[in-house]
Amino acid sequence: MISRRGFLGLLGGTGLAVAGCGTSAGETAGQTLASALAPPAPFTVPLPVPETAVPVRPGHYEVVQRAARVEIIPGTTTEIWGYDGTFPGPTFDLRRAGRTVIRVRNELPVPTSTHLHGGVTPPGSDGYPTDLVVAEGRGFRPPPGAHAGHDLSQWTFHSGARDYVYPLDQRAATLWYHDHRMDFTAPQVWRGLAGFLLVRDDEDDALPLPKGARDLPLMICDRSFEEDGAFRYPEVDPSLLVKAGVEEDFMEGVEGDVILVNGAPWPVAEVDAARYRLRLLNASNARRYRLALTPGGRFVQVGSDLGLLAAPVTHEAITIAPAERFDVVVDFSAYPVGTEVTLVNTLGTGSTRDVMRFRVTRKAKDDSAVPGRLSRIDPPDRSRAVATRVFDFRMTGQGGGAAWTINGRPFRPGRPLARPRLGTTEVWRFTSDFHHPVHVHLAHFQVLSRGGRPPAPTDAGWKDTVDVRPYEVVDVLVRFEGYRGRYMLHCHNLEHEDMAMMADFEVV
Ligand SMILES: [Cu+2]
């Protein structure tokens, strides 16, 4: 095993593969944790589709965070922590500007905070890491060594449940919600606290894209398992109450060796020989994927993190970093009936090379199409920026004092690194020492440049998360719209996030 410093040094110096570390050409961002369990044969478990949440009355939903035992690996059960005891949680299928209140009740032994990723949400409902829901009758004190320290003015506690208010005054898009608890987001998402929230609007509905059963959300994530089927994760404190963090070997991030789609290992879906809209989400803690189809095939991308592109973009492969979304259309009528089309991860090796399989079972009528023009998006215009700010994502310190930081500072709630003005546009420049998927809350952006060159084809459209690679400089044009108040930007490698790679910004 190469030490962490040596590992980073190698990546920095050469960008080449590091033997024995589960890396592939320096493209992966974490350490793979081996399962104790023999994995099931791939492509035997049917693809589940998460249940659609049902409102208790128009515009109002209630969801309970609780433990449940579910069968993930056939023949075993896994205790998950899920929204309504499911993993993924229920899908909220909502409409633009349809103000929605979701009451989240926490029945877990740990505090939680729920963030709607990609949401244009008032600050009080944005899922700030120290704005917590604690199960009724349970006390909670910030653990010693928590990055927020003991400044209790920065912590808020709701007993039992709280309402999150989502105005959803934003374009149709594939959003997702997940836990965002201070210092413990990574283990709590690993245990299952994540789900989809789809925003629909008239513009997206009016397009002849595949609909209904041919519009499939696919949550891709990796997990590892103990011999009895329990999730395996290298936390230093399994209670998740006293001490934050993972074993030192996993400081780069935790990667599992079992790939799940919608909570099932390497599932199989029977599909018509027709077009399907696949809403790809990488909900992994740290793993990046380069998705491709075998025996060949193309993805026609119609949407990014935050909705429709101006025009479709065709990809042979899509690199997707944690928290990114790609809405793609795959035309299964291009394959003879009977073909097995495998979604593979060309950054993976061994068990992480396969993702899921589609079995083309029958010819079918298909009225769908991908129009050449999808939406109107003004190309980003750098001259509109009223400010340029640099955010450097980097490990600082050594040994036990090492931390993942932004501009050399570990996260401290209440000390914003920037105060952009509502209604303005800025250039934010992200620089890095490693793979850091950078996520900005509230404010949506377009990628301007990558290493001084034009953006990648996969950078098109409105985004909230951008894949910043080792020693890369990525410029994005950010628009501050919606609300004033405290928000954050952070690395979405969840282990980095928990190790303080977050910062406040305040929209003024
Ligand atoms: Cu990071």
Side-chain angles (χ1 to χ4, degrees):
M1 182 66 70
I2 293 171
S3 74
R4 173 172 48 78
R5 299 245 126 235
F7 176 61
L8 290 173
L10 272 176
L11 279 181
T14 66
L16 296 176
V18 182
C21 284
T23 62
S24 167
E27 293 273 14
T28 64
Q31 290 284 344
T32 300
L33 176 63
S35 291
L37 179 76
F43 320 129
T44 53
V45 179
L47 174 75
V49 176
E51 295 287 326
T52 301
V54 177
V56 290
R57 59 182 196 277
H60 290 258
Y61 292 80
E62 292 181 7
V63 63
V64 179
Q65 298 175 310
R66 58 180 176 85
R69 296 200 75 84
V70 300
E71 184 171 355
I72 296 176
I73 306 295
T76 71
T77 60
T78 305
E79 183 181 292
I80 61 147
W81 288 357
Y83 295 90
D84 282 348
T86 64
F87 168 51
T91 297
F92 294 89
D93 194 337
L94 305 174
R95 292 203 70 82
R96 175 175 189 160
R99 181 180 181 275
T100 298
V101 178
I102 301 180
R103 176 163 297 176
V104 177
R105 177 169 299 284
N106 179 5
E107 295 183 354
L108 295 170
V110 297
T112 63
S113 174
T114 300
H115 171 57
L116 175 59
H117 186 118
V120 179
T121 304
S125 288
D126 195 47
Y128 193 75
T130 54
D131 184 7
L132 299 170
V133 184
V134 182
E136 217 165 300
R138 271 186 195 274
F140 176 73
R141 300 282 298 176
H147 290 113
H150 292 285
D151 178 1
L152 287 177
S153 72
Q154 296 296 326
W155 296 77
T156 314
F157 301 100
H158 306 263
S159 179
R162 65 155 295 177
D163 289 348
Y164 290 92
V165 178
Y166 300 122
L168 299 177
D169 191 6
Q170 58 187 108
R171 310 169 74 219
T174 303
L175 309 185
W176 64 300
Y177 60 95
H178 60 79
D179 190 64
H180 211 289
R181 177 191 164 199
M182 185 75 191
D183 294 339
F184 293 91
T185 293
Q188 295 192 176
V189 171
W190 188 273
R191 293 184 190 196
L193 290 170
F196 281 103
L197 188 151
L198 308 180
V199 182
R200 301 188 191 270
D201 67 9
D202 294 343
E203 180 190 38
D204 194 301
D205 285 354
L207 294 175
L209 297 171
K211 291 182 169 58
R214 294 184 188 162
D215 176 356
L216 279 177
L218 299 177
M219 178 189 285
I220 301 169
C221 61
D222 54 348
R223 294 290 185 270
S224 300
F225 293 85
E226 304 289 354
E227 198 163 7
D228 64 359
F231 283 138
R232 173 177 272 199
Y233 185 83
E235 67 267 269
V236 294
D237 167 23
S239 79
L240 307 186
L241 286 171
V242 180
K243 191 165 169 35
V246 291
E247 294 164 16
E248 172 140 8
D249 283 351
F250 293 91
M251 280 198 72
E252 286 91 20
V254 181
E255 297 184 339
D257 61 356
V258 175
I259 307 297
L260 305 179
V261 183
N262 293 347
W266 305 287
V268 58
E270 295 196 341
V271 293
D272 298 336
R275 287 182 201 85
Y276 280 70
R277 179 177 187 169
L278 307 177
R279 298 172 185 258
L280 306 170
L281 159 65
N282 180 357
S284 306
N285 282 29
R287 182 179 293 280
R288 298 163 75 247
Y289 301 78
R290 187 169 182 270
L291 299 174
L293 296 166
T294 58
R298 293 185 301 178
F299 304 103
V300 179
Q301 187 191 353
V302 295
S304 57
D305 295 341
L306 292 163
L308 293 169
L309 303 181
V313 179
T314 299
H315 305 285
E316 301 266 316
I318 289 175
T319 300
I320 185 168
E324 284 192 300
R325 285 89 71 210
F326 286 85
D327 272 18
V328 301
V329 172
V330 173
D331 186 358
F332 292 106
S333 75
Y335 306 92
V337 168
T339 306
E340 297 193 314
V341 182
T342 308
L343 183 66
V344 297
N345 165 31
T346 65
L347 298 181
T349 53
S351 67
T352 62
R353 179 101 182 160
D354 290 323
V355 177
M356 68 169 290
R357 177 166 286 175
F358 300 94
R359 191 171 288 141
V360 183
T361 52
R362 64 190 85 80
K363 287 203 154 99
K365 187 164 174 287
D366 187 0
D367 296 329
S368 74
V370 180
R373 184 174 174 77
L374 298 165
S375 185
R376 187 200 151 92
I377 296 181
D378 292 329
D381 176 4
R382 197 184 275 264
S383 72
R384 290 187 56 202
V386 299
T388 297
R389 302 181 201 263
V390 179
F391 299 95
D392 183 43
F393 290 74
R394 193 168 300 277
M395 179 174 277
T396 59
Q398 291 186 4
W404 293 104
T405 62
I406 303 176
N407 291 353
R409 288 168 47 161
F411 179 48
R412 285 290 178 271
R415 292 198 223 161
L417 285 192
R419 293 180 193 275
R421 296 190 75 82
L422 185 68
T424 66
T425 298
E426 300 190 354
V427 173
W428 281 17
R429 171 168 292 179
F430 303 131
T431 61
S432 74
D433 61 347
F434 193 60
H435 289 284
H436 298 299
V438 175
H439 172 46
V440 181
H441 287 213
L442 177 77
H444 298 168
F445 58 76
Q446 290 178 273
V447 180
L448 285 168
S449 63
R450 228 177 230 289
R453 292 193 295 275
T458 44
D459 289 327
W462 285 104
K463 292 182 64 59
D464 55 51
T465 306
V466 64
D467 182 24
V468 181
R469 298 173 296 192
Y471 301 94
E472 198 170 37
V473 177
V474 177
D475 285 359
V476 301
L477 191 68
V478 196
R479 284 175 72 170
F480 297 91
E481 288 186 329
Y483 304 95
R484 292 188 171 85
R486 173 166 70 172
Y487 292 94
M488 42 194 344
L489 76 156
H490 61 85
C491 180
H492 219 286
N493 175 315
L494 299 184
E495 283 78 25
H496 296 188
E497 168 176 344
D498 283 346
M499 283 182 266
M501 195 170 249
M502 300 202 285
D504 282 2
F505 68 91
E506 188 176 4
V507 180
V508 296

